């Protein structure tokens, strides 16, 4: 009287793929990022400084994407990125979307 039962499907945890490699950890996930609000030495203009971003081409692409999403100007300098205006709260949300785990507003 009942419906025929389907065979039980094994869960993904029980059957690992034979050739599967562990997921690569991005540099952004392990980086310790800090957001600062600065006004000194900038003629009274407010900027948000993002420190701790890993160097390399990936950082330049990340900064370009952040600039577009925030809709503000930014400058990539030696060890930090400077965004125009107070962008701390919005940057925190965007960096978490990109996979950053350790981000603090100072």
């Amino acid at each position: 009287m009942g419906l025929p039962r389907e065979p039980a499907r094994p869960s993904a945890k029980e059957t690992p793929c034979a050739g599967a490699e562990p997921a690569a950890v991005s540099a952004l996930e392990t980086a310790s990022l800090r957001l600062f609000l600065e006004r000194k030495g900038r003629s009274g203009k407010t900027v948000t400084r993002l420190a701790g971003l890993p160097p390399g081409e990936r950082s330049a692409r990340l900064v370009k994407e952040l600039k577009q999403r925030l809709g503000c100007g930014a400058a990539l300098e030696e060890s930090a990125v400077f965004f125009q205006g107070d962008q701390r709260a919005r940057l925190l949300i965007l960096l978490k979307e990109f996979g950053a785990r350790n981000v603090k507003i100072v």
Side-chain angles (χ1 to χ4, degrees):
M1 220 186 191
L3 297 173
R5 296 184 71 186
E6 293 183 22
R9 294 181 186 164
S11 68
K13 291 181 183 178
E14 294 174 357
T15 57
C17 297
E21 297 178 13
V25 177
S26 72
L28 195 59
E29 289 179 12
T30 59
S32 178
L33 304 175
R34 301 290 178 256
L35 295 170
F36 301 91
L37 188 67
E38 293 184 355
R39 197 175 275 155
K40 285 189 175 181
R42 305 194 183 279
S43 303
K45 305 287 183 185
T46 303
V47 296
T48 302
R49 178 170 53 112
L50 171 61
L53 200 60
E57 184 182 331
R58 177 166 163 58
S59 295
R61 283 187 271 146
L62 178 68
V63 170
K64 182 178 179 181
E65 181 68 24
L66 288 172
K67 283 172 39 173
Q68 289 176 349
R69 290 266 193 102
L70 291 171
C72 71
L76 180 61
E77 293 185 6
E78 294 174 9
S79 62
V81 182
F82 294 94
F83 294 91
Q84 294 175 347
D86 185 3
Q87 306 292 340
R88 293 175 295 176
R90 294 174 62 198
L91 266 173
L92 179 67
I93 294 168
L94 286 175
L95 287 169
K96 297 236 179 199
E97 281 181 21
F98 285 119
R101 295 183 181 175
N102 189 10
V103 183
K104 290 187 180 178
I105 297 177
V106 181

